[in-house]
């Protein structure tokens, strides 16, 4: 692709109570940023999840998205996998291309 640089994109959906641990893993892996979406809704392995609850924000789901160079992604993927082995959540990893690679270095 013309003028685009290959990167790795991670999307992690976890209960809100686990989001701080994922944020810490992302920053410790050297990612320059992430996007956090609270109140994620959908249907999956454990059934339907509504986006927002009235009284307890920790029972909602959060999706964290980050992009980093492929050489830095393996350690983060492994660390998130370890966290997910002891809690609920899902991780998606995909190849992506960015127009401003200096934002992710």
């Amino acid at each position: 692709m013309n003028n685009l640089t290959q990167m790795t994109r991670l999307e992690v959906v976890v209960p809100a109570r686990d989001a701080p641990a994922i944020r810490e893993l992302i920053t410790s892996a050297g990612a320059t940023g992430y996007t956090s979406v609270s109140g994620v809704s959908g249907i999956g392995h454990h059934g339907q999840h509504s986006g927002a609850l009235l009284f307890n924000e920790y029972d909602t789901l959060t999706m964290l998205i980050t992009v980093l160079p492929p050489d830095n992604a393996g350690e983060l993927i492994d660390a998130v996998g370890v966290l997910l082995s002891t809690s609920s959540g899902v991780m998606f990893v995909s190849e992506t291309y960015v127009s401003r690679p200096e934002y992710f270095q």
Side-chain angles (χ1 to χ4, degrees):
M1 294 188 198
N2 295 340
N3 299 319
L4 297 177
T5 301
Q6 182 180 344
M7 296 281 173
T8 300
R9 176 180 170 144
L10 273 79
E11 299 172 60
V12 183
V13 179
V14 293
R17 68 181 169 273
D18 293 334
I22 299 294
R23 288 186 193 102
E24 178 60 33
L25 292 175
I26 290 171
T27 55
S28 67
T32 58
Y34 59 83
T35 299
S36 181
V37 182
S38 300
V40 177
S41 64
I43 193 165
H45 181 73
H46 292 287
Q48 186 170 351
H49 295 274
S50 53
L53 299 174
L54 293 175
F55 302 110
N56 186 349
E57 67 184 28
Y58 287 102
D59 286 337
T60 64
L61 295 177
T62 298
M63 180 182 349
L64 294 118
I65 305 161
T66 192
V67 173
L68 65 165
D71 292 343
N72 299 356
E75 183 178 318
L76 177 57
I77 292 166
D78 292 343
V80 171
V82 169
L83 188 139
L84 293 178
S85 71
T86 60
S87 66
S88 62
V90 65
M91 171 176 47
F92 304 97
V93 179
S94 58
E95 181 179 285
T96 193
Y97 294 85
V98 299
S99 60
R100 297 179 174 173
E102 64 275 10
Y103 285 13
F104 305 94
Q105 302 293 331

